[in-house]
Structures are given as C-alpha cells and as structure tokens.
Amino acid sequence: MTRSILFVCLGNICRSPTAEAIFRLQANGLGLEIDSAGTSGWHDGHPSDPRASAEAARRGIDMSYIRSRKVVAEDFERFDLIVAMDAQNLRDLRAMQPEGSKARLVKLLDYAPELGLSDVPDPYYEDNFPEVLDMIDLACARLLLTL
Ligand code: 4NP
C-alpha cells in the first residue's frame, strides 16, 4: 500500500513544492506522508520561487511553509512512491537509488496521458506558472485515484 509520497524536481522551488502543496489538499484527511525534494540541492533551505507561490496563492493554495531540500539516500526507504517531474529527474533518481531500497519511482505525467506530454515543463525558465500548476493539479488528482 502506498502511504508516503515524495515529489521531486531539479530545484525543489517550482514544480515539486507546487505538487506537494496541491497533493496535501487533495489527499487531506487520508493520513498520507507527503513531501518534496530536489535532485540538485542548489536552493537548499530556500522558500519556493515567488512566482510559483503567487500563482498557488491566487488559487488559495499555501506554499509558504515549504523549504527546498535535496533528495537524500534515506528518502528511498522512507517513501513508498517517488514522483519525478521529468525524465531527467527520473534518471537522476535512478542513479541515486540505493540498491534494494523500497521506493517505487514514477513520472507525474504518466498519470495524465490526456495532456500528451511526458514531462512537466520547467517554469523556472519558461515562466508558464499557471499552465504548469494546471498540469500538476490534474495529474496529482489522477495519481490520488490510483492509491
Ligand atoms: P524546479 O525549477 O526544478 O521546478 O524547482 C528550477 C528551479 C531552479 C533552477 C532550475 C529549475 N535553477 O537552475 O536554479
């Protein structure tokens, strides 16, 4: 059974903290452990990108409590499911995963094939925060239905 989920992107300041905040609301009351992290560690300890938090806040979603952190080896034992935002995140996670650890690795948009995309585009560069939030919202809702 999936009881704990970690969302992962590169910086843990745009896509994965957005997924964490949205999924907490969608899964409210189900008792799941939910967190997010980045493969890079470039923004360790930083709050989310203000463009991501502003777009979330416009929709009543609070991201202010989230601080960026890097994925650590223990995450692969702590979490049942690790959800990557794109194919590069998934490759990086596979390279970090300790042999025999329990976490199952998946890509978020595999849960929303109707979007016709395999990766959540990186809004840090593309500045398309509303569109990215919509994608994450839909795919997280679909992911929840599979649990
Ligand atoms: P994220 O976006 O992986 O969705 O958090 C990025 C954030 C920061 C950088 C790249 C992507 N960066 O190059 O600092």
Side-chain angles (χ1 to χ4, degrees):
M1 214 159 79
T2 304
R3 304 302 308 160
S4 50
I5 300 186
L6 179 69
F7 294 97
V8 171
C9 62
L10 176 63
N12 191 217
I13 56 168
C14 297
R15 292 166 295 174
S16 62
T18 299
E20 175 189 342
I22 288 177
F23 199 70
R24 274 187 203 285
L25 296 175
Q26 293 175 339
N28 186 30
L30 296 180
L32 300 175
E33 181 184 4
I34 299 161
D35 198 5
S36 67
T39 55
S40 69
W42 292 339
H43 297 274
D44 265 3
H46 296 178
S48 299
D49 187 305
R51 297 169 295 172
S53 357
E55 184 54 36
R58 257 193 286 282
R59 304 173 192 222
I61 302 162
D62 178 28
M63 291 176 62
S64 63
Y65 61 93
I66 300 177
R67 294 293 176 273
S68 177
R69 73 166 179 91
K70 192 179 192 303
V71 175
V72 291
E74 299 78 63
D75 287 325
F76 295 90
E77 275 305 331
R78 179 175 155 205
F79 293 94
D80 298 316
L81 189 66
I82 300 184
V83 183
M85 295 296 128
D86 64 34
Q88 185 60 54
N89 304 150
L90 189 60
R91 280 192 292 274
D92 292 341
L93 285 164
R94 286 200 178 116
M96 286 179 219
Q97 181 164 31
E99 208 161 318
S101 54
K102 77 169 182 188
R104 192 159 58 87
L105 270 47
V106 295
K107 226 168 28 161
L108 182 64
L109 292 193
D110 290 347
Y111 295 93
E114 69 268 47
L115 292 176
L117 281 176
S118 78
D119 294 339
V120 179
D122 196 335
Y124 187 78
Y125 301 112
E126 298 189 24
D127 204 14
N128 53 347
F129 285 86
E131 187 190 339
V132 163
L133 193 149
D134 285 338
M135 281 178 206
I136 291 174
D137 189 21
L138 175 70
C140 280
R142 292 284 153 71
L143 161 60
L144 184 59
L145 291 175
T146 70
L147 299 184

PDB file of all heavy atoms in Angstrom, residues 2 5-8 80-87 89-91 93-94 97 103-111 118 143 146-147:
ATOM      1  N   THR A   2       0.433   2.249  -0.725  1.00  0.00           N
ATOM      2  CA  THR A   2       1.197   3.498  -0.784  1.00  0.00           C
ATOM      3  C   THR A   2       0.737   4.439   0.324  1.00  0.00           C
ATOM      4  O   THR A   2      -0.390   4.921   0.298  1.00  0.00           O
ATOM      5  CB  THR A   2       1.000   4.185  -2.154  1.00  0.00           C
ATOM      6  OG1 THR A   2       1.358   3.258  -3.174  1.00  0.00           O
ATOM      7  CG2 THR A   2       1.855   5.422  -2.268  1.00  0.00           C
ATOM      8  N   ILE A   5       4.537   9.626  -0.053  1.00  0.00           N
ATOM      9  CA  ILE A   5       4.849  10.056  -1.417  1.00  0.00           C
ATOM     10  C   ILE A   5       5.787  11.252  -1.384  1.00  0.00           C
ATOM     11  O   ILE A   5       5.564  12.226  -0.651  1.00  0.00           O
ATOM     12  CB  ILE A   5       3.555  10.456  -2.155  1.00  0.00           C
ATOM     13  CG1 ILE A   5       2.615   9.254  -2.204  1.00  0.00           C
ATOM     14  CG2 ILE A   5       3.861  10.979  -3.550  1.00  0.00           C
ATOM     15  CD1 ILE A   5       1.383   9.468  -3.017  1.00  0.00           C
ATOM     16  N   LEU A   6       6.847  11.185  -2.181  1.00  0.00           N
ATOM     17  CA  LEU A   6       7.805  12.283  -2.308  1.00  0.00           C
ATOM     18  C   LEU A   6       7.773  12.791  -3.750  1.00  0.00           C
ATOM     19  O   LEU A   6       7.959  12.005  -4.688  1.00  0.00           O
ATOM     20  CB  LEU A   6       9.221  11.796  -1.968  1.00  0.00           C
ATOM     21  CG  LEU A   6      10.331  12.834  -2.088  1.00  0.00           C
ATOM     22  CD1 LEU A   6      10.202  13.902  -0.992  1.00  0.00           C
ATOM     23  CD2 LEU A   6      11.712  12.175  -2.015  1.00  0.00           C
ATOM     24  N   PHE A   7       7.526  14.086  -3.925  1.00  0.00           N
ATOM     25  CA  PHE A   7       7.564  14.706  -5.252  1.00  0.00           C
ATOM     26  C   PHE A   7       8.957  15.306  -5.472  1.00  0.00           C
ATOM     27  O   PHE A   7       9.491  15.972  -4.576  1.00  0.00           O
ATOM     28  CB  PHE A   7       6.501  15.798  -5.360  1.00  0.00           C
ATOM     29  CG  PHE A   7       5.094  15.270  -5.285  1.00  0.00           C
ATOM     30  CD1 PHE A   7       4.386  15.279  -4.091  1.00  0.00           C
ATOM     31  CD2 PHE A   7       4.482  14.731  -6.414  1.00  0.00           C
ATOM     32  CE1 PHE A   7       3.092  14.775  -4.019  1.00  0.00           C
ATOM     33  CE2 PHE A   7       3.185  14.222  -6.357  1.00  0.00           C
ATOM     34  CZ  PHE A   7       2.496  14.238  -5.155  1.00  0.00           C
ATOM     35  N   VAL A   8       9.503  15.082  -6.661  1.00  0.00           N
ATOM     36  CA  VAL A   8      10.889  15.512  -6.914  1.00  0.00           C
ATOM     37  C   VAL A   8      11.015  16.254  -8.243  1.00  0.00           C
ATOM     38  O   VAL A   8      10.490  15.815  -9.277  1.00  0.00           O
ATOM     39  CB  VAL A   8      11.831  14.280  -6.913  1.00  0.00           C
ATOM     40  CG1 VAL A   8      13.232  14.662  -7.388  1.00  0.00           C
ATOM     41  CG2 VAL A   8      11.908  13.658  -5.521  1.00  0.00           C
ATOM     42  N   ASP A  80       7.197   5.319  -0.058  1.00  0.00           N
ATOM     43  CA  ASP A  80       6.750   4.194  -0.897  1.00  0.00           C
ATOM     44  C   ASP A  80       6.848   4.569  -2.375  1.00  0.00           C
ATOM     45  O   ASP A  80       7.153   3.731  -3.217  1.00  0.00           O
ATOM     46  CB  ASP A  80       5.286   3.852  -0.593  1.00  0.00           C
ATOM     47  CG  ASP A  80       5.077   3.413   0.838  1.00  0.00           C
ATOM     48  OD1 ASP A  80       5.900   2.615   1.331  1.00  0.00           O
ATOM     49  OD2 ASP A  80       4.091   3.866   1.464  1.00  0.00           O
ATOM     50  N   LEU A  81       6.516   5.836  -2.672  1.00  0.00           N
ATOM     51  CA  LEU A  81       6.437   6.284  -4.063  1.00  0.00           C
ATOM     52  C   LEU A  81       7.208   7.592  -4.216  1.00  0.00           C
ATOM     53  O   LEU A  81       7.004   8.527  -3.421  1.00  0.00           O
ATOM     54  CB  LEU A  81       4.955   6.498  -4.431  1.00  0.00           C
ATOM     55  CG  LEU A  81       4.633   6.760  -5.894  1.00  0.00           C
ATOM     56  CD1 LEU A  81       4.943   5.522  -6.743  1.00  0.00           C
ATOM     57  CD2 LEU A  81       3.163   7.141  -6.059  1.00  0.00           C
ATOM     58  N   ILE A  82       8.074   7.670  -5.225  1.00  0.00           N
ATOM     59  CA  ILE A  82       8.796   8.907  -5.512  1.00  0.00           C
ATOM     60  C   ILE A  82       8.389   9.340  -6.924  1.00  0.00           C
ATOM     61  O   ILE A  82       8.531   8.572  -7.885  1.00  0.00           O
ATOM     62  CB  ILE A  82      10.325   8.727  -5.386  1.00  0.00           C
ATOM     63  CG1 ILE A  82      10.672   8.300  -3.947  1.00  0.00           C
ATOM     64  CG2 ILE A  82      11.048  10.019  -5.750  1.00  0.00           C
ATOM     65  CD1 ILE A  82      12.172   8.182  -3.655  1.00  0.00           C
ATOM     66  N   VAL A  83       7.850  10.557  -7.013  1.00  0.00           N
ATOM     67  CA  VAL A  83       7.220  11.018  -8.245  1.00  0.00           C
ATOM     68  C   VAL A  83       8.070  12.111  -8.882  1.00  0.00           C
ATOM     69  O   VAL A  83       8.164  13.231  -8.354  1.00  0.00           O
ATOM     70  CB  VAL A  83       5.798  11.553  -7.947  1.00  0.00           C
ATOM     71  CG1 VAL A  83       5.113  11.956  -9.242  1.00  0.00           C
ATOM     72  CG2 VAL A  83       4.969  10.518  -7.194  1.00  0.00           C
ATOM     73  N   ALA A  84       8.692  11.794 -10.021  1.00  0.00           N
ATOM     74  CA  ALA A  84       9.569  12.741 -10.718  1.00  0.00           C
ATOM     75  C   ALA A  84       8.754  13.634 -11.646  1.00  0.00           C
ATOM     76  O   ALA A  84       7.754  13.204 -12.226  1.00  0.00           O
ATOM     77  CB  ALA A  84      10.606  11.973 -11.527  1.00  0.00           C
ATOM     78  N   MET A  85       9.206  14.866 -11.802  1.00  0.00           N
ATOM     79  CA  MET A  85       8.510  15.809 -12.687  1.00  0.00           C
ATOM     80  C   MET A  85       8.916  15.639 -14.151  1.00  0.00           C
ATOM     81  O   MET A  85       8.139  15.976 -15.043  1.00  0.00           O
ATOM     82  CB  MET A  85       8.785  17.265 -12.263  1.00  0.00           C
ATOM     83  CG  MET A  85       8.235  17.616 -10.908  1.00  0.00           C
ATOM     84  SD  MET A  85       6.434  17.522 -10.815  1.00  0.00           S
ATOM     85  CE  MET A  85       6.268  16.469  -9.386  1.00  0.00           C
ATOM     86  N   ASP A  86      10.134  15.157 -14.393  1.00  0.00           N
ATOM     87  CA  ASP A  86      10.540  14.961 -15.791  1.00  0.00           C
ATOM     88  C   ASP A  86      11.515  13.795 -15.912  1.00  0.00           C
ATOM     89  O   ASP A  86      11.934  13.199 -14.902  1.00  0.00           O
ATOM     90  CB  ASP A  86      11.100  16.258 -16.411  1.00  0.00           C
ATOM     91  CG  ASP A  86      12.388  16.747 -15.760  1.00  0.00           C
ATOM     92  OD1 ASP A  86      13.211  15.905 -15.317  1.00  0.00           O
ATOM     93  OD2 ASP A  86      12.598  17.976 -15.704  1.00  0.00           O
ATOM     94  N   ALA A  87      11.861  13.480 -17.149  1.00  0.00           N
ATOM     95  CA  ALA A  87      12.685  12.297 -17.427  1.00  0.00           C
ATOM     96  C   ALA A  87      14.099  12.444 -16.853  1.00  0.00           C
ATOM     97  O   ALA A  87      14.694  11.459 -16.404  1.00  0.00           O
ATOM     98  CB  ALA A  87      12.753  12.052 -18.933  1.00  0.00           C
ATOM     99  N   ASN A  89      14.872  14.138 -14.089  1.00  0.00           N
ATOM    100  CA  ASN A  89      14.734  13.884 -12.644  1.00  0.00           C
ATOM    101  C   ASN A  89      14.706  12.379 -12.391  1.00  0.00           C
ATOM    102  O   ASN A  89      15.330  11.887 -11.443  1.00  0.00           O
ATOM    103  CB  ASN A  89      13.430  14.459 -12.073  1.00  0.00           C
ATOM    104  CG  ASN A  89      13.213  15.938 -12.304  1.00  0.00           C
ATOM    105  OD1 ASN A  89      12.064  16.379 -12.401  1.00  0.00           O
ATOM    106  ND2 ASN A  89      14.288  16.715 -12.401  1.00  0.00           N
ATOM    107  N   LEU A  90      13.958  11.650 -13.231  1.00  0.00           N
ATOM    108  CA  LEU A  90      13.826  10.202 -13.053  1.00  0.00           C
ATOM    109  C   LEU A  90      15.176   9.506 -13.226  1.00  0.00           C
ATOM    110  O   LEU A  90      15.544   8.630 -12.431  1.00  0.00           O
ATOM    111  CB  LEU A  90      12.794   9.661 -14.044  1.00  0.00           C
ATOM    112  CG  LEU A  90      12.362   8.218 -13.874  1.00  0.00           C
ATOM    113  CD1 LEU A  90      11.737   7.980 -12.500  1.00  0.00           C
ATOM    114  CD2 LEU A  90      11.371   7.821 -14.970  1.00  0.00           C
ATOM    115  N   ARG A  91      15.937   9.933 -14.239  1.00  0.00           N
ATOM    116  CA  ARG A  91      17.285   9.356 -14.446  1.00  0.00           C
ATOM    117  C   ARG A  91      18.176   9.639 -13.243  1.00  0.00           C
ATOM    118  O   ARG A  91      18.900   8.761 -12.760  1.00  0.00           O
ATOM    119  CB  ARG A  91      17.929   9.937 -15.712  1.00  0.00           C
ATOM    120  CG  ARG A  91      17.454   9.306 -17.010  1.00  0.00           C
ATOM    121  CD  ARG A  91      18.345   9.711 -18.175  1.00  0.00           C
ATOM    122  NE  ARG A  91      18.220  11.131 -18.506  1.00  0.00           N
ATOM    123  CZ  ARG A  91      17.281  11.623 -19.330  1.00  0.00           C
ATOM    124  NH1 ARG A  91      16.410  10.827 -19.899  1.00  0.00           N
ATOM    125  NH2 ARG A  91      17.236  12.908 -19.583  1.00  0.00           N
ATOM    126  N   LEU A  93      17.272  10.257 -10.176  1.00  0.00           N
ATOM    127  CA  LEU A  93      16.792   9.476  -9.028  1.00  0.00           C
ATOM    128  C   LEU A  93      17.253   8.027  -9.130  1.00  0.00           C
ATOM    129  O   LEU A  93      17.683   7.431  -8.139  1.00  0.00           O
ATOM    130  CB  LEU A  93      15.261   9.536  -8.945  1.00  0.00           C
ATOM    131  CG  LEU A  93      14.684  10.849  -8.416  1.00  0.00           C
ATOM    132  CD1 LEU A  93      13.189  10.944  -8.731  1.00  0.00           C
ATOM    133  CD2 LEU A  93      14.915  10.985  -6.917  1.00  0.00           C
ATOM    134  N   ARG A  94      17.163   7.469 -10.333  1.00  0.00           N
ATOM    135  CA  ARG A  94      17.590   6.063 -10.510  1.00  0.00           C
ATOM    136  C   ARG A  94      19.060   5.908 -10.170  1.00  0.00           C
ATOM    137  O   ARG A  94      19.474   4.912  -9.581  1.00  0.00           O
ATOM    138  CB  ARG A  94      17.330   5.614 -11.943  1.00  0.00           C
ATOM    139  CG  ARG A  94      15.857   5.371 -12.198  1.00  0.00           C
ATOM    140  CD  ARG A  94      15.629   4.473 -13.419  1.00  0.00           C
ATOM    141  NE  ARG A  94      14.214   4.234 -13.598  1.00  0.00           N
ATOM    142  CZ  ARG A  94      13.499   4.631 -14.653  1.00  0.00           C
ATOM    143  NH1 ARG A  94      14.088   5.267 -15.651  1.00  0.00           N
ATOM    144  NH2 ARG A  94      12.209   4.375 -14.723  1.00  0.00           N
ATOM    145  N   GLN A  97      19.393   5.943  -6.312  1.00  0.00           N
ATOM    146  CA  GLN A  97      18.638   4.977  -5.508  1.00  0.00           C
ATOM    147  C   GLN A  97      19.532   3.858  -4.992  1.00  0.00           C
ATOM    148  O   GLN A  97      20.139   3.123  -5.778  1.00  0.00           O
ATOM    149  CB  GLN A  97      17.496   4.371  -6.332  1.00  0.00           C
ATOM    150  CG  GLN A  97      16.669   3.377  -5.530  1.00  0.00           C
ATOM    151  CD  GLN A  97      15.326   3.044  -6.153  1.00  0.00           C
ATOM    152  OE1 GLN A  97      15.188   3.054  -7.381  1.00  0.00           O
ATOM    153  NE2 GLN A  97      14.346   2.765  -5.331  1.00  0.00           N
ATOM    154  N   ALA A 103      11.460   2.294  -2.414  1.00  0.00           N
ATOM    155  CA  ALA A 103      10.646   3.271  -3.150  1.00  0.00           C
ATOM    156  C   ALA A 103      10.431   2.855  -4.610  1.00  0.00           C
ATOM    157  O   ALA A 103      11.350   2.373  -5.274  1.00  0.00           O
ATOM    158  CB  ALA A 103      11.299   4.643  -3.095  1.00  0.00           C
ATOM    159  N   ARG A 104       9.197   3.082  -5.087  1.00  0.00           N
ATOM    160  CA  ARG A 104       8.883   2.896  -6.495  1.00  0.00           C
ATOM    161  C   ARG A 104       9.012   4.264  -7.159  1.00  0.00           C
ATOM    162  O   ARG A 104       8.506   5.264  -6.636  1.00  0.00           O
ATOM    163  CB  ARG A 104       7.455   2.352  -6.606  1.00  0.00           C
ATOM    164  CG  ARG A 104       7.065   1.832  -7.949  1.00  0.00           C
ATOM    165  CD  ARG A 104       5.868   0.887  -7.804  1.00  0.00           C
ATOM    166  NE  ARG A 104       4.710   1.529  -7.182  1.00  0.00           N
ATOM    167  CZ  ARG A 104       3.786   2.219  -7.863  1.00  0.00           C
ATOM    168  NH1 ARG A 104       3.881   2.353  -9.168  1.00  0.00           N
ATOM    169  NH2 ARG A 104       2.771   2.777  -7.236  1.00  0.00           N
ATOM    170  N   LEU A 105       9.677   4.317  -8.310  1.00  0.00           N
ATOM    171  CA  LEU A 105       9.914   5.588  -8.998  1.00  0.00           C
ATOM    172  C   LEU A 105       8.982   5.717 -10.201  1.00  0.00           C
ATOM    173  O   LEU A 105       8.907   4.794 -11.021  1.00  0.00           O
ATOM    174  CB  LEU A 105      11.374   5.648  -9.474  1.00  0.00           C
ATOM    175  CG  LEU A 105      12.426   6.230  -8.531  1.00  0.00           C
ATOM    176  CD1 LEU A 105      12.309   5.682  -7.131  1.00  0.00           C
ATOM    177  CD2 LEU A 105      13.836   5.999  -9.068  1.00  0.00           C
ATOM    178  N   VAL A 106       8.304   6.846 -10.287  1.00  0.00           N
ATOM    179  CA  VAL A 106       7.382   7.088 -11.403  1.00  0.00           C
ATOM    180  C   VAL A 106       7.528   8.534 -11.868  1.00  0.00           C
ATOM    181  O   VAL A 106       8.188   9.351 -11.227  1.00  0.00           O
ATOM    182  CB  VAL A 106       5.908   6.836 -10.980  1.00  0.00           C
ATOM    183  CG1 VAL A 106       5.665   5.372 -10.637  1.00  0.00           C
ATOM    184  CG2 VAL A 106       5.517   7.725  -9.807  1.00  0.00           C
ATOM    185  N   LYS A 107       6.871   8.834 -13.003  1.00  0.00           N
ATOM    186  CA  LYS A 107       6.860  10.207 -13.532  1.00  0.00           C
ATOM    187  C   LYS A 107       5.428  10.747 -13.435  1.00  0.00           C
ATOM    188  O   LYS A 107       4.479  10.049 -13.806  1.00  0.00           O
ATOM    189  CB  LYS A 107       7.332  10.181 -14.981  1.00  0.00           C
ATOM    190  CG  LYS A 107       8.340  11.237 -15.290  1.00  0.00           C
ATOM    191  CD  LYS A 107       9.015  11.059 -16.621  1.00  0.00           C
ATOM    192  CE  LYS A 107       8.161  10.341 -17.634  1.00  0.00           C
ATOM    193  NZ  LYS A 107       8.594  10.541 -18.999  1.00  0.00           N
ATOM    194  N   LEU A 108       5.288  11.973 -12.979  1.00  0.00           N
ATOM    195  CA  LEU A 108       3.952  12.511 -12.679  1.00  0.00           C
ATOM    196  C   LEU A 108       3.007  12.451 -13.876  1.00  0.00           C
ATOM    197  O   LEU A 108       1.845  12.059 -13.746  1.00  0.00           O
ATOM    198  CB  LEU A 108       4.062  13.950 -12.159  1.00  0.00           C
ATOM    199  CG  LEU A 108       2.726  14.599 -11.778  1.00  0.00           C
ATOM    200  CD1 LEU A 108       2.065  13.871 -10.609  1.00  0.00           C
ATOM    201  CD2 LEU A 108       2.903  16.077 -11.441  1.00  0.00           C
ATOM    202  N   LEU A 109       3.487  12.847 -15.055  1.00  0.00           N
ATOM    203  CA  LEU A 109       2.542  12.972 -16.174  1.00  0.00           C
ATOM    204  C   LEU A 109       2.128  11.631 -16.763  1.00  0.00           C
ATOM    205  O   LEU A 109       1.226  11.580 -17.599  1.00  0.00           O
ATOM    206  CB  LEU A 109       3.081  13.920 -17.250  1.00  0.00           C
ATOM    207  CG  LEU A 109       3.161  15.388 -16.821  1.00  0.00           C
ATOM    208  CD1 LEU A 109       3.395  16.289 -18.028  1.00  0.00           C
ATOM    209  CD2 LEU A 109       1.941  15.877 -16.034  1.00  0.00           C
ATOM    210  N   ASP A 110       2.736  10.542 -16.292  1.00  0.00           N
ATOM    211  CA  ASP A 110       2.237   9.216 -16.682  1.00  0.00           C
ATOM    212  C   ASP A 110       0.812   9.004 -16.167  1.00  0.00           C
ATOM    213  O   ASP A 110       0.092   8.157 -16.686  1.00  0.00           O
ATOM    214  CB  ASP A 110       3.156   8.108 -16.158  1.00  0.00           C
ATOM    215  CG  ASP A 110       4.491   8.090 -16.890  1.00  0.00           C
ATOM    216  OD1 ASP A 110       4.589   8.753 -17.943  1.00  0.00           O
ATOM    217  OD2 ASP A 110       5.428   7.438 -16.412  1.00  0.00           O
ATOM    218  N   TYR A 111       0.423   9.786 -15.146  1.00  0.00           N
ATOM    219  CA  TYR A 111      -0.930   9.663 -14.589  1.00  0.00           C
ATOM    220  C   TYR A 111      -1.950  10.499 -15.368  1.00  0.00           C
ATOM    221  O   TYR A 111      -3.143  10.413 -15.074  1.00  0.00           O
ATOM    222  CB  TYR A 111      -0.948  10.083 -13.116  1.00  0.00           C
ATOM    223  CG  TYR A 111      -0.130   9.155 -12.250  1.00  0.00           C
ATOM    224  CD1 TYR A 111       1.205   9.422 -11.968  1.00  0.00           C
ATOM    225  CD2 TYR A 111      -0.694   7.984 -11.749  1.00  0.00           C
ATOM    226  CE1 TYR A 111       1.959   8.551 -11.191  1.00  0.00           C
ATOM    227  CE2 TYR A 111       0.049   7.108 -10.973  1.00  0.00           C
ATOM    228  CZ  TYR A 111       1.377   7.401 -10.703  1.00  0.00           C
ATOM    229  OH  TYR A 111       2.124   6.536  -9.938  1.00  0.00           O
ATOM    230  N   SER A 118       5.145  14.171 -21.717  1.00  0.00           N
ATOM    231  CA  SER A 118       5.716  13.214 -20.785  1.00  0.00           C
ATOM    232  C   SER A 118       6.434  13.917 -19.628  1.00  0.00           C
ATOM    233  O   SER A 118       6.633  13.326 -18.574  1.00  0.00           O
ATOM    234  CB  SER A 118       6.623  12.221 -21.511  1.00  0.00           C
ATOM    235  OG  SER A 118       7.846  12.808 -21.775  1.00  0.00           O
ATOM    236  N   LEU A 143      -3.292  10.739  -9.853  1.00  0.00           N
ATOM    237  CA  LEU A 143      -2.422   9.901  -9.030  1.00  0.00           C
ATOM    238  C   LEU A 143      -3.164   9.457  -7.773  1.00  0.00           C
ATOM    239  O   LEU A 143      -3.132   8.284  -7.394  1.00  0.00           O
ATOM    240  CB  LEU A 143      -1.155  10.697  -8.665  1.00  0.00           C
ATOM    241  CG  LEU A 143      -0.309  10.229  -7.486  1.00  0.00           C
ATOM    242  CD1 LEU A 143       0.209   8.823  -7.705  1.00  0.00           C
ATOM    243  CD2 LEU A 143       0.863  11.166  -7.261  1.00  0.00           C
ATOM    244  N   THR A 146      -5.340   6.471  -7.996  1.00  0.00           N
ATOM    245  CA  THR A 146      -4.700   5.159  -8.144  1.00  0.00           C
ATOM    246  C   THR A 146      -4.284   4.559  -6.795  1.00  0.00           C
ATOM    247  O   THR A 146      -3.858   3.412  -6.737  1.00  0.00           O
ATOM    248  CB  THR A 146      -3.421   5.221  -9.019  1.00  0.00           C
ATOM    249  OG1 THR A 146      -2.401   5.926  -8.302  1.00  0.00           O
ATOM    250  CG2 THR A 146      -3.689   5.902 -10.343  1.00  0.00           C
ATOM    251  N   LEU A 147      -4.367   5.365  -5.719  1.00  0.00           N
ATOM    252  CA  LEU A 147      -3.845   4.868  -4.429  1.00  0.00           C
ATOM    253  C   LEU A 147      -4.864   3.983  -3.705  1.00  0.00           C
ATOM    254  O   LEU A 147      -6.050   4.127  -3.874  1.00  0.00           O
ATOM    255  CB  LEU A 147      -3.459   6.060  -3.534  1.00  0.00           C
ATOM    256  CG  LEU A 147      -2.377   6.975  -4.085  1.00  0.00           C
ATOM    257  CD1 LEU A 147      -2.020   8.034  -3.071  1.00  0.00           C
ATOM    258  CD2 LEU A 147      -1.121   6.205  -4.480  1.00  0.00           C
TER     259      LEU A 147
END
